[in-house]
Amino acid sequence: MISKKNTKWLFVILLITQYYNSAFSQTQWTYDFNNGLSPMEKGGPVLHKLGQSGQLIKEKVPGSGEKGVPEIIRTVYQFEKNTGLQFDNKEANGFLNKSFTVEIYFKLNELDSWKRVLDFKNRKSDYGSYIYDGKLNFYDFAIGEKAPVKANQYIHYVYSRDFETKAIKMYVNGISKVEFKDPGTEGVLDNDQVLNFFQDDLVANHEASAGSVALIRVYDRVMTPVFVRRSYQTISRAPKEVVAEVEAVKEESKPVEKATPVINTSLVQVTGKVFEGKNLAAVENADVSVRKTNNDSLVAQSKVHNGSYAFQLKPHESYKISVKAQGYQTKVIPVRTTNRATEVKSLISLSPETFDRPLATLLFTQSTETLESPAKTQLDSLVSYFQKRTDLKIMLKGHTDNIGDFDKNLLLSTQRVLVVKNYFLEKGISNERIQGIGYGSTRPTQKNQTEELRKLNRRVEVWAEPLKR
C-alpha cells in the first residue's frame, strides 16, 4: 500500500521525468525566422549573430520548382559578407554530438571564388564546407560534380555525418553531390561546440559572401536520401518533423595535410591538392606543371609535397595545370587568376592508369622487319619510360598487311616483334619483362584497300601491362 505522502512524491517524480524527456528528446530544431532567431519548437537554443548584425526581412522566396510548390513570401535573415549565424551546441545540451544532419535553404550574392557554408571549428581551421565554382566542396578532402548553384539564387543544401561510419554526404536540391568518409574529426564540432553558418575562418581571407537564409534545420540523426528529396520538394511549405532511418555510406579516405604557402602580394597564390579519385587518398610523387593557355609555354613546374602544390602566378591570366603521377592518368585543369594577393584553390582527382591502348605503334616498310628512324625515336622514348616504370612489363604485338602469303606474313610479324624486343634488350630492359606475339594479317586496324591504309597495318604495337594483377 502506497501512502498519500509517497503518492505525492511519485507524482512529482513523474512530472519531472516527463519534463526532462520533453526537453531533451527533441530530434530536430527548426529556424524559419518567423520567431526571430528562436526555433519553431519550444525550449530550443536561439541562434547567435556572427559579426555585423543582419536583419529579418520579408522576401519572395521560390519553391523547389516541383509541381505545386510556388514562390511564397517568407521571413528571411539577410546577412552581410563575412557574417552569419551560429548554433551553440552547449546551449542545445550536446544535440550535435553524434550522428547529425544540417539542412539550409539560402542564397549567396557572390560565387566567384570559395564561399564558406559550414564551419565546424569556430574559425580556427580552413577545413569545412564551401561552394566553389558551382561545386560542393569539403576542403580539402572531397569535391563534387558541378551543382546547380548560382549567385543570388536560393538552393536547398543538406549536410550529414554518420557517427558510426564517419560517412559524410552533401546534397543540393535533393540530389547527392558529395559522399566520402571523414578522415578524422574534421566534419564534427571541436571543443568550442559551435556550428557557424556563412562566416569564414581566420586562416584564409575573402572566402565568404553576403546572402540570405530562409530556413535552417538541424537533426540529431542522419536523414536518408528519400527524406532529403522529399524535404526539397516541400521546401516552400510549412516545416514538418519527419522520422527517418539511418543510411550508412561506406567509403574510405586518408587525411591530407594542408599546405600553408607564403603569398607574394604582387602575385596570385595558386594552391591545390592531388588525390586519388576512388578513395580520396593524397597522391605523392606527382609532377605538376603550369603552362599558359594562349601559347602553351611552360611557366612553372614542381612535385607535390604531402599531396599539395603551390605556385605564384601573374594575375589576370589563363593557365593549364597538368598533373602526372605514376599509376594514374594525366589530368589537366584550366585555371584563371584574378586579383593580386588572392588565392586560387583547386582539387585535382586522378583516375587509376589504364592500359587499354598501345603506348606506341611502330610502322614498317612492306615485306621488311627493319627498324626505321621514326620507329627508333619512338623506342628511345619508351625505353626511358620503362626504365622508370619498373612495375610494368612490355607486350609486343606484330602485324602485317594482307599482301602476300598468309604463313609468310605470320612469320614476318613475329620477326618484327623480335627486332623490337632486341632493341629493348640492348637498352637494358630485362628479358623477363618483354613478351611478344605475331598475328600476321589477321588483325588489321584499317581496311587493306589502298597503300595509304595498308601501311598503317604494317606495324608493331607496344603495350604496357602491370607486372602484378
Side-chain angles (χ1 to χ4, degrees), residues 132-418:
Y132 176 62
D133 190 29
K135 301 175 183 178
L136 301 193
N137 182 294
F138 194 100
Y139 187 77
D140 57 353
F141 302 114
I143 187 169
E145 62 184 83
K146 190 81 172 181
V149 182
K150 298 181 180 179
N152 295 303
Q153 289 187 11
Y154 274 91
I155 65 165
H156 180 256
Y157 173 94
V158 175
Y159 170 98
S160 70
R161 185 183 187 277
D162 187 276
F163 176 74
E164 298 296 334
T165 65
K166 293 188 177 181
I168 290 176
K169 299 187 75 172
M170 292 189 284
Y171 303 77
V172 161
N173 294 348
I175 305 299
S176 176
K177 293 294 182 181
V178 177
E179 300 181 19
F180 71 104
K181 184 176 180 181
D182 192 342
T185 56
E186 302 305 334
V188 295
L189 306 181
D190 63 4
N191 291 334
D192 288 349
Q193 288 291 289
V194 293
L195 174 63
N196 293 342
F197 298 85
F198 310 120
Q199 187 181 39
D200 192 30
D201 56 80
L202 299 173
V203 179
N205 297 320
H206 314 299
E207 295 182 345
S209 170
S212 301
V213 56
L215 175 72
I216 294 177
R217 186 188 283 120
V218 292
Y219 306 85
D220 66 349
R221 61 202 184 280
V222 174
M223 311 312 294
T224 66
V226 173
F227 173 83
V228 172
R229 178 64 179 172
R230 179 165 51 183
S231 184
Y232 168 59
Q233 291 171 342
T234 61
I235 191 64
S236 290
R237 301 171 190 171
K240 299 177 181 179
E241 181 177 353
V242 180
V243 178
E245 71 278 5
V246 172
E247 175 184 292
V249 180
K250 296 180 179 179
E251 286 198 23
E252 297 181 356
S253 67
K254 297 178 182 179
V256 180
E257 296 179 11
K258 184 180 177 185
T260 54
V262 178
I263 298 178
N264 183 331
T265 56
S266 64
L267 299 174
V268 177
Q269 187 76 4
V270 178
T271 62
K273 291 287 186 178
V274 181
F275 63 96
E276 205 276 310
K278 185 175 181 180
N279 59 23
L280 304 182
V283 174
E284 299 299 338
N285 299 317
D287 294 307
V288 185
S289 61
V290 182
R291 293 180 178 273
K292 282 191 174 183
T293 302
N294 59 354
N295 58 16
D296 203 41
S297 61
L298 182 64
V299 176
Q301 58 185 354
S302 72
K303 283 189 173 292
V304 299
H305 177 66
N306 293 328
S308 302
Y309 64 85
F311 297 103
Q312 293 181 341
L313 304 177
K314 292 182 180 180
H316 306 294
E317 294 278 359
S318 294
Y319 300 94
K320 296 182 295 183
I321 296 181
S322 176
V323 180
K324 297 181 179 180
Q326 182 172 317
Y328 300 93
Q329 297 181 45
T330 299
K331 185 73 170 287
V332 180
I333 66 167
V335 169
R336 172 71 181 176
T337 55
T338 54
N339 296 328
R340 300 171 185 234
T342 60
E343 183 176 7
V344 177
K345 298 180 181 179
S346 60
L347 295 179
I348 299 180
S349 172
L350 297 184
S351 300
E353 190 174 26
T354 58
F355 303 97
D356 55 358
R357 63 186 62 185
L359 297 180
T361 300
L362 314 174
L363 300 182
F364 291 79
T365 300
Q366 189 176 36
S367 301
T368 73
E369 68 273 16
T370 303
L371 282 173
E372 300 183 357
S373 294
K376 290 181 179 180
T377 300
Q378 289 178 278
L379 283 174
D380 289 338
S381 177
L382 290 174
V383 167
S384 177
Y385 173 76
F386 283 111
Q387 285 173 339
K388 295 178 181 178
R389 294 298 303 273
T390 56
D391 60 316
L392 299 177
K393 63 182 179 181
I394 303 171
M395 184 64 190
L396 304 174
K397 300 179 182 181
H399 306 272
T400 69
D401 59 27
N402 66 345
I403 302 298
D405 181 75
F406 178 87
D407 291 334
K408 289 183 178 180
N409 281 336
L410 187 61
L411 177 60
L412 178 60
S413 66
T414 302
Q415 291 171 335
R416 287 172 174 171
V417 166
L418 288 176

Side-chain angles (χ1 to χ4, degrees), residues 73-134:
I73 301 295
R74 63 190 302 167
T75 303
V76 304
Y77 181 76
Q78 192 177 69
F79 52 90
E80 297 299 320
K81 185 174 182 178
N82 208 26
T83 67
L85 295 168
Q86 181 185 85
F87 179 87
D88 193 322
N89 200 42
K90 293 179 181 177
E91 295 178 3
N93 300 301
F95 184 78
L96 299 180
N97 278 355
K98 292 190 176 182
S99 295
F100 66 93
T101 301
V102 181
E103 179 183 6
I104 327 171
Y105 194 51
F106 70 99
K107 68 177 180 180
L108 296 178
N109 297 353
E110 301 174 10
L111 285 176
D112 55 332
S113 61
W114 296 75
K115 301 304 176 188
R116 170 76 77 169
V117 180
L118 299 176
D119 171 19
F120 302 95
K121 309 301 180 185
N122 202 18
R123 309 192 75 190
K124 300 188 296 293
S125 170
D126 204 20
Y127 295 138
S129 173
Y130 296 84
I131 295 175
Y132 176 62
D133 190 29

